[in-house]
Amino acid sequence: MVLRVQYWHDGILRMLDQRLLPYQESWLDLQTWQDVREAIKDMAVRGAPAIGISAAYGMALAAGAGESLDVAAAELASSRPTAVNLFWALDRIKSLPEKSFHTILAEAHRIEQEDIACNEKIGENGAALFPENARVLTICNTGSLATGGHGTALGIIRTAHAQGKVKHVYSCETRPRLQGLRLTAYELLHDGIPFESIVDSAAASLMHARKVDCVVTGADRITANGETANKIGTYMLAVCARHHGIPFYVAAPWTTFDPSLASGDLIEIEERDGREITHFDEKQIAPEGCPTLNPAFDVTPGDLIDAIISDRGVHRPPYLFTSQS
Ligand code: MRU
């Protein structure tokens, strides 16, 4: 899929507003790093690699306006806490020997291009694990919309489909922001990949009915011991998959690995506004005053993950990632 989430044009960052998809393909013109921060925070752009790329372009906007790069980096870093790609991209810009507008912009382009290349590699590495006529279950959106292009878990599905190996995809709707129903469905329809959207709670019974050959998900951060933060509901899928003897795979570029953290309990899990639960768009669907708890991610223990698929290969448990591995 050639759909691009964002591109640099004439001194501004043009960004597809994912909050409005699939009803409307509307582009935001982001002129300042503050605009980029707001877009990440409010999820106009989302998905771990995509927000890293946006933050890098945000730094180019800061440099172009002659603003403090330290302040811009610190503020961009405070937009969302869980996906390590955001911090990785900002660190990469901060470590440039020369931090002019042109060098930062060139580095942002490089980060984006490298991500696409990583995803293509992940696609090949992961597709090799799929059986023929695979029936695959996935959650959230991990495709072109969440990355520089192609995608991670959805990139594997895309590559495997191109190889004729995918019979069917079950796409979890992904409450509360519905990235599966709105975005993954949009990408799968675009590519003509056979699928059905399901409510998140249908996954276990489909596994019980032997309709799922494997589960593949993305990741927001993977610690040294292979514990993986990803969209809320991922852990539940891993538990169900293990119970039914179904392989559970996680796909991510190396930029999502954080070997500086020993284990998943050290990952900061973003807690989002309860309004995401109590409201559907602007309409309130819960009683006034309904209390909520809305963690955006959960952590899956490494021993429930049959393989972690990266651009560097297929990693198997027991996991021990270092900055060198
Ligand atoms: O809250 P989101 O939509 O940013 O969450 C996205 C996910 O959890 C994805 O699975 C993850 O970022 C990997 S995207 C290639």
Side-chain angles (χ1 to χ4, degrees), residues 80 230-232 269-272 276 294-298:
R80 295 192 76 186
N230 191 51
K231 182 51 54 196
I232 191 76
I269 299 296
E270 179 181 13
E271 179 100 22
R272 293 190 64 87
E276 291 184 345
N294 188 20
F297 301 96
D298 57 26

Side-chain angles (χ1 to χ4, degrees), residues 254-292:
W254 194 250
T255 50
T256 301
F257 289 69
D258 184 2
S260 77
L261 295 186
S263 56
D265 52 326
L266 300 171
I267 300 175
E268 184 180 342
I269 299 296
E270 179 181 13
E271 179 100 22
R272 293 190 64 87
D273 195 334
R275 205 180 152 85
E276 291 184 345
I277 299 176
T278 57
H279 287 64
F280 186 75
D281 286 339
E282 288 309 305
K283 188 176 164 30
Q284 186 171 328
I285 53 175
E288 190 63 41
C290 171
T292 56

Side-chain angles (χ1 to χ4, degrees), residues 43 46-49 80 140-142 146-147 152 179 218-220 230-231 297:
M43 295 174 67
R46 29 67 50 202
R80 295 192 76 186
C140 199
N141 173 264
T142 57
T147 62
T152 57
Q179 293 94 326
D220 283 79
N230 191 51
K231 182 51 54 196
F297 301 96

